[in-house]
Amino acid sequence: MTLPQHAQIVVIGGGIIGCSTAYHLAKDHKAEVVLLEQGALTSGSTWHAAGLVGQLRSSASITRVLKYSVDLYKRLDAETGLATGWKMSGCLRLATNEDRWTEYRRLATTARSFDMEMHLLSPDEVKAMWPLMDTSDLVGASWLPTDGQASPSDITQSLAKGARMHGAKIHENVRVTGFGMEGDRIVSVKTDKGEIACEKVVNCAGQWARQVGEMAGINVPLQPVKHQYIITEPIPGLATDAPTIRDPDRRTYFKEEVGGLVMGGYEPNPQPWTTGDVPNDWEFRLFDDDFDHFEQHMEQAMARIPALAESGVKQMINGPESFTPDGNFILGTAPECANMYVGAGFNAFGIAAGGGAGWVLAEWTMTDEAPLDLWVVDIRRFSEMHRDRQWVCDRTLEAYGKHYEIGFPHAEYESGRPRIVSPLYDRLKGYRAVFGSKLGWERPNWFAPEGMEAEDVYSMGRQNWFGPVGAEHAHVREHVGIFDQSSFAKYELTGPDAQKALDWICANDVSKPVGRLTYTQLLNSRGGIEADLTVARLAEDRFYIVTGTGFRTHDAAWIADHIPADCDATLTDITEEWGTLSLMGPKARDVLAKVTDADVSHAAFPFAHVREIDIAGYTVRALRVTYVGELGWELHVPIGATGEIFDALMAAGEADNIRPIGYRALESLRLEKGYRAWSSDITPNDTPFEAGLGWAVKLRKNTDFMGRKALEAKAGQALTKRLAGFTLDDPDVVLVGRETILRDGETVGYLTSGGFGYTIGKSVGYGYVRNADGVSDDFLESGSYELVVANERFPATIGMDPFFDPSNSRVKA
């Protein structure tokens, strides 16, 4: 078959993700699609996948994506006439200790929050469902009846047939060799069989996705890892409808197949394949069997299902699977290229995700926007550091090894650290800082008092840092603290049309005089919040933009992508040029006044202003802003001077008892004050009005901006969800997010974030209360509320105002 000379969209890769994307592009969008596969369909990782299909994840959007997969697999055979092998056998997850059981109780709450059916079973109930299992060590199990299993090859062939039925062209044995580029845009796909001009490319090349991306200058941080499983001979007494099993405390999984079992696992000592290029001819190939490495799984599996000891092994599969540094897959538009979209790195979840990933990737490709909050899988969560192949390998192996570990709250990765440190790193270690890591930056989470081990001790209850963080929190409320926030992402937008560009990009009004700063959201076409950040005007044609550490790539790409074509404005990332010291607390002005000749009184330096001031002989960008609810400044200092300026502030603040403060105290302070956090409380799924941020939207001003039309279309309509705060009187209840909100006993939403408010002495959480008929003030105030935490109900108090608001004199005087 001759390749076409032109296609609207070229999909690269004929595994389950590529075929699903082509199917949805053709069916849902009537797009002109050509799919290219270098070998035969399914020949990458798809054909040797184990085929387990689970749905529940910690993100509501990703759970929705996985649920979509199940719904598609149930009905696809009726549409195409090709069976998918879908079997809704349900899934048992086993617990052998109390921490795991607490995790499942929390997951059961999450399932309820996301409208999924999940039950907690006793060991006897598990034994009744799976008689061949040894349940003597179980505390219990979770049961998700709508999970199941499928045939990866059959699903892929069915999707491919569906794609063809709707007009997609599929070409096998065609290898992509490069791209024709104009600037940062792909204009053609070069292959060993000819060249295809195109408008967009979707990279679903599986374990080759990194190499394909590299041809267009795109980084897709993947690491192939050897993943083994066995298929046994038939086992007497094994029911054909036996549920799949995940046995995380023994690191193994099982599913029934033709009367026998598929069994594999996630070992703590995984074996990477290459950090170089995956050979092009590695299509239907496997590695040699490695029984020595697999023996650890066999021992655990036979202890769980003794009948395995009497069963023969029909086949061992040892193939590469693409894994990522954080265990989440990769979707979305690549920041380095204007028209390549990526769907890769599925961490052995490719079959479970395949249907839904193809759906959202097709939507994303056609509209240039994610249809849901997909931040946890967005390729823009990575940065330049992820081009380091060895670092990616080391971190990915750690993530693989943690696949079945208990999901303790606030757990940190350990490999590849420290990667990026601020100039204060050694000074803060001297203050006994316990560091966490965010996009490679080492950041102090908390400070251990003398006599206490300076390290995190994880648990499902209150963790060891709870007391010290409370002391830091109180210190900021009562005295003054200094936060090292040098990891903040920082950009400058310059040029004669800089304001015009920001007028379009920002929901709030940034057209203020020089010396003013603005908190603003950046909205998508649906009016959802794609980012929130601070814009400070330094000159008529120069703006300083500050955003969160982890959002550096994402926010820069969003701004750059949305600068109107007729605007002469340039965005520059200057993150490493500036350190950031946040001086916060009622004594902040007293300390700042001692180190600068500038007038820092409220009259001379009001809230939401920016001034260049001199400290220790250096010009500092001082931003009068706060994320903790107290008087404060962000001091943006030349990166090389960070240490000197920190020392000057610490010396000047000695009489006011200044001390360094960590990010965990920052989190508890912002929860009390009701400040929203992007990616949890505010997301692309949420509008400013739903989030209680309507005051930061310039609808009254006659200026068009991204998202305005969507917000205007909703104006005057009753809001069907609104963000609310909740407190619990029981101080021992740990809130971490995703707990179910009950109003008069009925589920109305779930928490988007949770923690503890030390000043008020209560657990604090935020979440959207939903009601199809509208969420009025009366509706919110008239209900009786409870939160479901680890499957237990606790009375809760709703609050639409900050739970702690320092007096006006303390914040503004």
Side-chain angles (χ1 to χ4, degrees), residues 208-375:
W208 292 274
R210 185 185 66 81
Q211 288 146 248
V212 169
E214 217 166 47
M215 296 175 190
I218 290 160
N219 181 39
V220 185
L222 301 178
Q223 175 60 47
V225 180
K226 297 177 181 180
H227 186 75
Q228 294 190 93
Y229 65 86
I230 59 168
I231 305 170
T232 74
E233 300 285 357
I235 298 175
L238 179 61
T240 56
D241 61 349
T244 59
I245 299 171
R246 286 180 171 85
D247 190 3
D249 296 324
R250 294 184 181 272
R251 300 178 180 271
T252 52
Y253 61 79
F254 306 84
K255 76 161 187 173
E256 186 276 336
E257 185 163 301
V258 199
L261 281 175
V262 169
M263 185 280 288
Y266 291 84
E267 60 275 14
N269 57 335
Q271 296 177 315
W273 190 15
T274 177
T275 56
D277 287 353
V278 174
N280 283 329
D281 61 356
W282 197 279
E283 288 156 2
F284 286 110
R285 292 172 59 185
L286 295 168
F287 303 111
D288 292 337
D289 297 345
D290 189 346
F291 278 100
D292 288 343
H293 192 73
F294 195 72
E295 186 180 8
Q296 57 189 304
H297 294 316
M298 285 300 302
E299 289 178 0
Q300 296 291 342
M302 288 189 293
R304 177 63 65 212
I305 302 174
L308 274 173
E310 310 300 322
S311 174
V313 175
K314 185 161 57 176
Q315 187 181 11
M316 171 174 268
I317 303 289
N318 186 6
E321 295 270 6
S322 283
F323 285 81
T324 65
D326 61 4
N328 286 323
F329 44 88
I330 297 174
L331 291 178
T333 176
E336 307 95 332
C337 179
N339 60 340
M340 179 183 272
Y341 298 79
V342 180
F346 281 84
N347 305 282
F349 277 100
I351 310 309
W359 159 55
V360 297
L361 199 50
E363 293 280 339
W364 208 328
T365 304
M366 295 303 295
T367 65
D368 293 322
E369 279 184 7
L372 303 169
D373 168 27
L374 297 172
W375 166 243

Side-chain angles (χ1 to χ4, degrees), residues 58 135 247 276 641 710 772:
S58 58
T135 59
D247 190 3

Side-chain angles (χ1 to χ4, degrees), residues 15-92:
I16 191 169
I17 309 300
C19 287
S20 178
T21 303
Y23 167 81
H24 287 92
L25 283 168
K27 182 174 187 280
D28 297 348
H29 302 282
K30 313 303 181 220
E32 180 199 1
V33 182
V34 171
L35 184 148
L36 304 177
E37 163 54 48
Q38 68 173 353
L41 296 183
T42 79
S43 65
S45 300
T46 298
W47 72 275
H48 62 73
L52 276 69
V53 179
Q55 300 165 84
L56 182 61
R57 299 293 283 267
S58 58
S59 155
S61 290
I62 302 306
T63 299
R64 183 176 164 189
V65 168
L66 300 178
K67 287 170 76 173
Y68 178 93
S69 292
V70 168
D71 292 340
L72 177 64
Y73 301 160
K74 285 178 184 175
R75 59 180 163 82
L76 190 63
D77 56 349
E79 179 185 338
T80 67
L82 290 181
T84 62
W86 168 250
K87 186 165 66 171
M88 196 171 79
S89 53
C91 179
L92 287 166

Side-chain angles (χ1 to χ4, degrees), residues 88-107:
M88 196 171 79
S89 53
C91 179
L92 287 166
R93 295 171 188 251
L94 311 181
T96 67
N97 57 69
E98 289 301 328
D99 279 338
R100 181 74 70 183
W101 190 236
T102 300
E103 180 182 42
Y104 288 178
R105 285 165 40 222
R106 287 189 172 275
L107 277 172

